Amino acid sequence: MTVSVSDHPLIRHKLTLLRDERTGCREFRELCGEISMLLAYEATRDLMLEKTRVRTPLMETTGEILPQKDVALVAILRSGLVMVEGILRLIPTARVGHIGIYRDPATLKPVEYYAKLPPDIAERRTFLLDPMLATGGSTVRGIDILKKKGARQITAAAIIAAPEGLKVVESAHPDVRIVLAALDQRLNDHGYILPGLGDAGDRMYGTK
Ligand code: URA
């Protein structure tokens, strides 16, 4: 499995602000979107382009554009939504899918309750988005669902991961690429990432 952790100064700066307990919901959402956009910028460096002709005000020349079926973004609800918003600003032609998975607080196991994906996902580069890759359960379940629908070139993007979760994803799906803003120390007994940033969904939406 390829795991890349960004060392971009803008991402590291924004991540520090994101971790800060004093950061409010609105700024938290903005930072998540911006970090996701920067991660996507790095993770799409190898996208294929098609040749085209373009007329400038002065003359015709050759150009390159993304193919019509380029990227699918799949948010794991609910905190993956803010990552989608950030990346759509960079790739507005991307199609968007949603997967509903929550973590049972007692067992910490993922429970799936919703999945709606672009029908042509097999022809697109697919990015599975969940800001916190903690136990790895939701990511593994999300990738299972994507593969069942035919997705082949899958990248899982997270803002922060724990080493324990990465191992789980690697053993279930060694073919999937992972892109991260940070790889943190470990999980605590409740499955939260340390030092982490707390509960991403609650901090985004002010539900705690
Ligand atoms: N989900 C979160 O929002 N935060 C964690 O630390 C782990 C899972």
Side-chain angles (χ1 to χ4, degrees), residues 79 103 130-135 187 190-202:
S79 48
R103 207 161 49 144
D130 189 358
M132 305 302 277
L133 196 169
T135 61
L187 295 178
H190 304 286
Y192 279 90
I193 299 174
L194 296 176
L197 47 71
D199 189 299
D202 284 343

Side-chain angles (χ1 to χ4, degrees), residues 169-190:
V169 178
E170 175 158 37
S171 65
H173 295 293
D175 55 315
V176 166
R177 184 173 66 139
I178 311 272
V179 297
L180 304 172
L183 178 57
D184 272 9
Q185 291 168 19
R186 63 183 177 88
L187 295 178
N188 71 9
D189 294 342
H190 304 286

